[in-house]
């Protein structure tokens, strides 16, 4: 016993004391500054801090989650393609299964692991864990980004953000990998559904609204994909060749607006190269422009496995490499040790990671409930969805569907609606309300024989196709069937009106096709034509509902139906939200934030999408993980979307900013605060509801600039607002403020944002072509709004489109 006591006194006590003093001398994130903590870390620890903990497997689909993953050979094959994960990390259980990634934690410094998760339409996590379906973790599927932008309603989008952010927080996530705001450069972009608009003012302001909403919960966002990531083909290898002006005015502008108006916690760099450099390795982009010019204060992370050279990424200011692989950590350590990476740079990157950790709910010890108010959020998802739907056509007040009681419901997606696109923008939701259910809930009967025909057909087609194995695997909608004239006749007799839903889906990893995707298939066109003719012969109306995530061709068939409702992909409450608009419970007030051209060949980037492979080899295909060397030249320059159609007088099928209502509005009293622009000018306009039902109007302010020194688009959106719900006869006065900076163009030769002198025409529009009021003001002398330096300079001459 004596010996034991002696041993205790001699060995154990000093050891404990030593351990305590060492612990006390190690700076703790709780007590010390970020700089002190980083200063106490070894190079190895810092290099780990700036690379994530890896990705064991992409977020599973609900189905896969229930299965024994080992038996799933395809999933196993996918796993084997994944870069290795640190063995130690693998054994640390995930706080939130199915989340996209996490950072390294260091207990000795009081640094916890933080968790990040997709994505733009809802929190994407595993809904069922350990095969236990008694407790589920489903998330709200919000309407897709394109729909949210079509609301043009920043306060509604902020409200969505507030509820969305609450779900992020209650499911234990620190940073949401959203929103996504790349420009709709081309209708075939596979992820356009996640993105907002062809216009940076819409994209930037909608982004700022949702970021402010989400982050008001004390969780972070990652605005993505920075930048010029406008296609999925060869997404990891595509070199985007773009002029400085187009880059700054079109592809960076939305990010700039979002950074200045919402200062998001993080930005996600993209997969592509810009003018020969990976964005994640571009000091010009991530440090000179993002941080120095715009004043971004947060952290930059890569897209998953994005870029090639971890050292270049550190130097560029890409602080965090996600999801992180051991090879990257090693490369960083080696570079510091052999002097090719200044440790100071690594310190700065590590400090930014710690700043992010400090803000996170995990660090603050937030006790998440795993029980967000999903019922309440579903209501908001439904309301937001109906606000962003766009009434494209409504002859003779076909809608709302007052008198129709029994509806003949055509089109597979009427029964099997698409809530949102695929890939990381998908959401594991508890349910999706079909249009059939939505109509039933709204009190409409649906013709039963037709319903049975469709349900049987869809079930058969689905049974025959292989089940999706991966979360990103695109499952195209079941192709439409040809319906005999006899059946159509019967339906026209037995029902009061026809609804035909046309569905499209797309997602991460692939762009869309022109044939049978942008265009309608022959069977779809026949369906619309034949149903229209048969129902019209019996004096009955036909409504087409578009359940799509991206732009399609409409010009060849839009004359057939009486009404067309663009419902986009409306999230989990899809059917209810569509029924709200069809029934008139909600008066549609969405407007197009992206143009519907007549033909694909009218699209200004059509001949430059998705670019060309540098060493074409028909046998080698680009895939989800790896692309082949390729380049795309943005020859259309600044003439993207309506900037092109309006300038070059190319008539679209439905123009940017377009959308009908069940009521009418009058615009009057446009007044400018001055006839000369000093620093800013205000414009006021009064909007009156002149129709019979309450409604909201989107008021759009376009500017036509003098265009004497620089080529300028005919019209450019500079501001927008949505009225409140105006009762018949009610008016609202909207005030817009325009600054010199809003009018500036990027003058590449001068490396400056310049507002040229001359006469500026203010156009207040109900769309980009439907101008309701004009006025003008003068800029007496050229204003150099901001002098910068040339960045991301193209290495080759670009044959850019000019007026
Ligand atoms: C996507 C990102 C996403 C990330 C994590 C990538 O493949 O491009 O948008 O946030 O995966 O899931």
């Amino acid at each position: 016993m004596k010996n034991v006591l002696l041993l205790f006194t001699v060995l154990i006590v000093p050891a404990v004391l030593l351990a305590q003093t060492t612990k006390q001398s190690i700076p703790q994130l709780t007590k010390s500054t970020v700089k002190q903590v980083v200063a106490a870390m070894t190079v190895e620890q810092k290099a780990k801090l700036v690379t994530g903990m890896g990705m064991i497997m992409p977020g599973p689909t609900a189905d896969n989650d229930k299965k024994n993953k080992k038996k799933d050979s395809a999933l196993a094959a996918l796993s084997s393609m994944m870069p290795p994960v640190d063995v130690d990390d693998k054994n640390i259980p995930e706080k939130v299964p199915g989340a996209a990634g996490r950072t390294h934690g260091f207990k000795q410094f009081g640094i916890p692991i933080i968790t990040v998760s997709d994505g733009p339409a809802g929190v994407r996590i595993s809904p069922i864990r350990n095969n236990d379906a008694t407790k589920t973790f489903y998330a709200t599927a919000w309407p897709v980004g394109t729909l949210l932008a079509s609301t043009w309603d920043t306060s509604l989008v902020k409200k969505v953000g507030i509820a969305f952010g609450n779900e992020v927080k209650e499911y234990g996530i620190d940073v949401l990998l959203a929103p996504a705001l790349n420009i709709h450069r081309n209708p075939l972009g596979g992820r356009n559904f996640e993105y907002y608009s062809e216009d940076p003012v819409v994209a930037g302001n909608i982004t700022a609204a949702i970021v402010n909403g989400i982050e008001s919960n004390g969780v972070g966002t990652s605005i993505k994909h920075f930048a010029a990531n406008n296609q999925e083909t060869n997404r990891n290898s595509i070199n985007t060749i773009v002029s400085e002006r187009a880059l700054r005015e079109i592809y960076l502008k939305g990010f700039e607006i979002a950074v200045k108006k919402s200062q998001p916690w993080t930005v996600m760099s993209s997969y592509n190269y810009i003018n020969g450099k990976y964005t994640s390795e571009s000091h010009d982009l991530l440090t000179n422009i993002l941080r120095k010019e715009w004043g971004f204060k947060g952290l930059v992370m890569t897209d998953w496995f994005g870029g090639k050279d971890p050292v270049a990424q550190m130097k560029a200011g890409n602080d965090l490499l996600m999801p992180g692989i051991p090879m990257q950590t090693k490369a960083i350590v080696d570079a510091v040790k052999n002097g090719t990476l200044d440790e100071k740079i690594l310190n700065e990157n590590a400090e930014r990671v710690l700043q992010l950790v400090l803000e996170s709910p995990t660090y603050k010890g937030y006790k998440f409930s795993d029980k967000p108010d999903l019922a309440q959020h579903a209501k908001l998802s439904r309301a937001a969805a109906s606000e962003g739907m766009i009434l494209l056509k409504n002859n003779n007040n076909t809608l709302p569907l007052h008198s129709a009681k029994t509806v003949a419901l055509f089109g597979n997606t009427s029964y099997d609606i698409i809530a949102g696109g695929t890939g990381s923008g998908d959401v594991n939701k508890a349910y999706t309300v079909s249009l059939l259910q939505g109509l039933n809930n709204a009190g409409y009967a649906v013709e039963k024989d037709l319903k049975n025909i469709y349900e049987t057909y869809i079930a058969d087609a689905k049974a025959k196709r292989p089940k999706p194995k991966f979360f990103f695997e695109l499952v195209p909608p079941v192709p439409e069937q040809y319906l005999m004239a006899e059946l159509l006749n019967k339906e026209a007799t037995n029902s009061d009106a026809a609804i035909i839903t046309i569905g499209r889906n797309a997602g991460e990893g692939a762009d869309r096709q022109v044939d049978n995707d942008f265009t309608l298939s022959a069977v779809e066109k026949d369906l619309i034509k034949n149903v229209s003719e048969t129902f019209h012969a019996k004096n009955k109306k036909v409504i087409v509902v578009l359940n799509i995530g991206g732009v399609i061709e409409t010009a060849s068939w839009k004359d057939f139906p009486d009404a067309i409702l663009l419902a986009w992909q409306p999230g989990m409450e899809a059917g209810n939200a569509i029924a709200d608009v069809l029934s008139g419970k909600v008066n549609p007030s969405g407007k197009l934030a992206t143009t519907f051209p007549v033909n694909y060949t009218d699209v200004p980037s059509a001949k430059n999408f998705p670019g060309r492979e540098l060493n074409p080899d028909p046998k080698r295909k680009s895939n989800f993980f790896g692309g082949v060397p390729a380049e795309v030249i943005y020859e259309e320059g600044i003439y993207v979307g309506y900037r092109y159609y309006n300038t070059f007088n190319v008539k679209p099928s439905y123009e940017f900013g377009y959308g009908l209502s069940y009521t009418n509005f009058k615009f009057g009293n446009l007044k400018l605060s001055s006839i000369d622009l000093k620093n800013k000018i205000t414009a006021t306009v009064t909007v009156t509801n002149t129709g019979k039902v309450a409604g909201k109007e989107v008021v759009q302010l376009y500017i036509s600039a003098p265009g004497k020194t620089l080529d300028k688009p005919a019209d450019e959106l500079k501001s927008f607002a949505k009225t409140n719900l105006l009762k018949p006869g009610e008016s609202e006065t909207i005030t817009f403020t325009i600054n010199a900076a809003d009018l500036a163009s990027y003058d590449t030769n001068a490396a400056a944002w310049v507002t040229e002198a001359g006469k500026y025409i203010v156009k207040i529009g109900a769309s980009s072509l439907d101008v309701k009021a004009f006025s003008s003001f003068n800029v007496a002398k050229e204003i150099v709004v901001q002098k910068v330096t040339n960045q991301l300079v193209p290495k080759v001459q670009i044959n850019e489109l000019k007026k």
Side-chain angles (χ1 to χ4, degrees):
M1 185 64 188
K2 236 191 203 164
N3 282 349
V4 174
L5 249 180
L6 187 69
L7 196 69
F8 184 79
T9 328
V10 174
L11 290 178
I12 312 287
V13 172
V16 170
L17 283 177
L18 182 71
Q20 274 175 1
T21 13
T22 326
K23 188 155 189 223
Q24 269 159 19
S25 62
I26 297 179
Q28 296 291 298
L29 199 53
T30 32
K31 300 199 184 84
S32 311
T33 65
V34 156
K35 271 197 181 333
Q36 286 167 333
V37 176
V38 169
M41 295 177 90
T42 63
V43 173
E44 283 77 8
Q45 287 166 330
K46 287 186 284 200
K48 263 191 142 179
L49 186 63
V50 297
T51 52
M53 275 175 72
M55 194 176 193
I56 297 159
M57 177 112 26
T61 61
D63 264 5
N64 282 329
D65 201 48
K66 286 182 226 158
K67 287 181 199 155
N68 181 347
K69 288 172 194 164
K70 277 189 196 139
K71 280 192 199 147
D72 194 324
S73 57
L75 212 51
L78 176 68
S79 288
S80 70
M81 286 161 74
M82 291 294 211
V85 174
D86 196 316
V87 209
D88 298 342
D89 295 344
K90 219 174 183 169
N91 296 328
I92 303 176
E94 290 174 290
K95 177 182 172 195
V96 185
R102 46 197 182 150
T103 59
H104 278 106
F106 298 84
K107 283 212 175 90
Q108 64 273 43
F109 298 107
I111 303 170
I113 294 168
I114 65 167
T115 305
V116 302
S117 172
D118 287 305
V123 183
R124 199 171 66 78
I125 51 176
S126 289
I128 295 166
R129 301 173 187 172
N130 304 321
N131 291 328
D132 174 9
T134 57
K135 183 163 194 264
T136 58
F137 303 81
Y138 288 110
T140 302
W142 304 98
V144 296
T146 310
L147 186 152
L148 287 180
S150 307
T151 66
W152 298 64
D153 186 340
T154 49
S155 46
L156 173 71
V157 171
K158 184 170 178 193
K159 246 195 230 166
V160 168
I162 293 170
F164 195 161
N166 165 268
E167 234 162 272
V168 171
K169 194 168 183 182
E170 292 308 330
Y171 275 133
I173 304 293
D174 296 293
V175 179
L176 180 74
L177 304 173
L181 65 146
N182 295 96
I183 291 293
H184 291 164
R185 173 175 178 252
N186 185 289
L188 305 185
R191 296 182 78 173
N192 279 0
F193 72 97
E194 293 183 61
Y195 305 149
Y196 293 132
S197 174
E198 69 188 22
D199 178 84
V201 171
V202 175
N205 283 288
I206 296 291
T207 302
I210 202 156
V211 167
N212 284 328
I214 295 169
E215 294 197 350
S216 68
N217 291 277
V219 294
T221 55
S222 195
I223 66 172
K224 66 189 189 184
H225 310 85
F226 190 55
N229 183 177
N230 309 100
Q231 65 184 60
E232 290 301 287
T233 309
N234 289 316
R235 67 178 186 156
N236 308 74
S237 56
I238 190 79
N239 181 19
T240 299
I241 299 176
V242 56
S243 73
E244 286 177 75
R245 180 172 177 202
L247 190 60
R248 285 181 178 265
E249 290 188 20
I250 307 292
Y251 300 99
L252 298 185
K253 194 64 177 178
F255 286 94
E256 180 182 357
I257 295 170
V259 164
K260 291 181 174 167
K261 291 194 169 177
S262 63
Q263 198 55 254
W265 288 13
T266 82
V267 167
M268 185 190 291
S269 53
S270 54
Y271 283 130
N272 52 293
Y273 298 81
I274 296 180
N275 295 330
K277 231 188 192 46
Y278 270 124
T279 59
S280 60
E281 298 174 11
S282 170
H283 191 269
D284 279 7
L285 183 68
L286 305 183
T287 298
N288 295 346
I289 294 182
L290 177 66
R291 291 200 163 96
K292 293 192 180 151
E293 281 185 27
W294 301 349
F296 176 63
K297 302 268 183 301
L299 165 142
V300 178
M301 68 175 82
T302 58
D303 197 349
W304 267 227
F305 308 108
K308 267 198 186 121
D309 177 353
V311 177
Q313 289 172 319
M314 290 295 107
K315 289 181 181 169
N318 195 120
D319 312 296
L320 179 62
L321 310 183
M322 291 301 283
I325 46 178
M327 260 158 49
Q328 292 170 318
T329 317
K330 184 175 177 307
I332 293 169
V333 172
D334 291 350
V336 172
K337 297 211 159 140
N338 68 26
T340 49
L341 175 64
D342 186 344
E343 197 171 344
K344 273 196 211 137
I345 293 176
L346 177 60
N347 290 350
E348 268 181 45
N349 302 125
E351 283 163 17
R352 291 205 197 97
V353 176
L354 288 191
Q355 290 293 0
L356 179 69
V357 171
L358 272 181
E359 289 180 283
S360 68
T362 299
Y363 172 79
K364 292 177 179 161
Y366 183 70
K367 300 263 177 298
F368 58 101
S369 64
D370 275 332
K371 285 199 188 73
D373 191 346
L374 293 177
Q376 202 55 38
H377 294 176
K379 282 189 193 152
L380 181 57
S381 179
R382 173 176 177 169
S386 63
E387 289 280 316
M389 291 182 188
I390 300 163
L391 187 60
L392 294 178
K393 176 175 181 180
N394 196 20
N395 278 10
N396 303 319
N397 298 324
T398 298
L399 293 174
L401 260 181
H402 287 310
S403 54
K405 288 185 190 74
T406 301
V407 176
L409 200 49
F410 295 91
N412 299 323
T413 44
S414 292
Y415 301 88
D416 189 19
I417 205 147
I418 302 163
T422 60
S424 59
D426 200 357
V427 186
N428 294 318
K429 53 218 163 273
Y431 63 86
T432 301
V433 179
S434 70
L435 182 53
L436 168 70
Q437 290 163 323
L439 288 170
N440 287 159
N441 294 345
Y444 296 98
V446 166
E447 206 292 312
K448 288 207 178 65
D449 293 345
L450 188 61
K451 170 178 162 298
N452 290 340
I453 289 170
Y454 270 103
E455 288 183 337
T456 314
Y457 171 75
I458 296 167
D460 276 1
K462 283 190 163 178
K464 283 185 200 133
R465 71 181 180 195
K467 280 240 175 303
K469 291 289 186 298
F470 316 134
F471 74 93
F472 54 78
E473 195 171 311
L474 176 66
V475 186
V478 171
E480 293 297 342
Q481 56 188 316
Y482 187 82
L483 300 177
M484 307 294 272
E486 214 173 68
L487 173 69
L488 299 188
N489 261 314
K490 197 182 98 190
E491 291 304 321
T493 309
N494 294 349
S495 54
D496 302 304
I499 296 178
I500 308 166
T501 307
I502 299 293
R504 288 288 181 276
N505 210 359
E508 192 174 350
D511 290 311
R512 297 170 56 211
Q513 302 297 315
V514 176
D515 294 339
N516 302 327
D517 191 345
F518 175 76
T519 58
L520 267 55
S521 69
V523 180
E524 287 170 326
K525 280 195 187 177
D526 277 351
L527 180 70
I528 295 177
K529 181 169 180 279
N530 297 345
V531 170
S532 299
E533 287 172 354
T534 316
F535 275 68
H536 289 164
K538 295 202 156 54
N539 227 353
K540 291 177 180 171
K541 304 282 193 199
V542 177
I543 299 128
V544 169
V545 171
L546 299 178
N547 176 209
I548 58 182
V551 170
I552 62 165
E553 185 276 322
T554 50
S556 70
W557 56 266
K558 68 180 181 184
D559 288 343
F560 292 115
D562 303 279
I564 305 173
L565 178 67
L566 171 53
W568 294 119
Q569 292 171 337
M572 64 198 284
E573 286 286 327
N576 285 334
I578 297 173
D580 286 343
V581 175
L582 295 179
S583 67
K585 190 173 162 199
V586 171
N587 185 353
S589 61
K591 300 260 184 170
L592 289 177
T594 200
T595 306
F596 275 55
V598 172
N599 295 303
Y600 178 70
T601 46
D602 293 342
V603 175
S605 57
K607 67 179 171 46
N608 283 302
F609 186 92
R612 66 176 191 107
E613 294 187 356
L614 300 183
N615 312 303
D617 173 356
K619 279 186 234 123
R620 195 179 49 186
K621 283 261 173 303
S622 88
N623 66 36
F624 192 81
F625 294 104
V628 299
E631 69 179 25
V632 57
I633 309 179
Y634 286 15
E635 285 186 318
E636 71 284 2
I638 54 168
Y639 293 107
V640 175
Y642 72 91
R643 283 172 169 76
Y644 170 78
Y645 299 108
N646 284 17
T647 309
F648 294 88
N649 292 319
V650 179
K651 180 114 184 62
S653 183
Y654 294 110
E655 76 269 15
F656 178 82
Y658 173 86
L660 302 173
S661 164
Y662 296 151
T663 187
N664 298 305
F665 298 96
K666 199 184 96 207
F667 292 57
N669 261 338
L670 170 61
K671 282 192 203 127
L672 302 187
S673 57
S674 158
I675 52 162
D676 291 305
L677 177 100
K678 304 274 167 1
N679 284 326
K680 60 178 183 185
I681 202 159
T682 56
T684 54
V685 63
T686 303
V687 181
T688 308
N689 181 348
T690 55
K692 295 198 179 71
V693 290
K696 298 176 186 176
E697 176 64 312
V698 174
V699 191
Q700 304 157 38
L701 188 151
Y702 296 88
I703 293 279
S704 298
K708 287 193 184 121
T709 47
L710 285 177
D711 213 41
K712 286 272 199 174
D715 305 292
E716 282 191 292
L717 183 81
K718 296 296 172 187
S719 195
F720 62 89
K722 195 164 192 173
T723 66
N724 296 316
L725 186 69
L726 299 178
K727 293 196 201 90
E730 198 180 345
S731 299
E732 184 177 333
T733 299
I734 306 277
T735 303
F736 297 104
T737 304
I738 303 295
N739 299 307
D742 298 326
L743 305 172
S745 286
Y746 185 71
D747 182 340
T748 312
N749 293 332
W753 287 93
V754 178
T755 300
E756 62 176 328
K759 184 175 166 192
Y760 287 76
I761 301 168
V762 177
K763 298 178 176 174
I764 302 292
S767 84
S768 57
L769 292 178
D770 185 11
V771 175
K772 303 286 193 184
F774 293 86
S775 191
S776 67
F777 62 87
N778 211 51
V779 173
K781 236 176 67 206
E782 181 181 280
I783 307 168
V784 177
V785 173
Q786 192 188 4
K787 177 83 186 91
V788 292
T789 47
N790 293 103
Q791 305 291 339
L792 295 152
V793 180
K795 294 197 180 88
V796 292
Q797 184 75 27
I798 302 172
N799 184 18
E800 255 193 347
L801 181 62
K802 295 262 176 327
K803 229 185 337 191

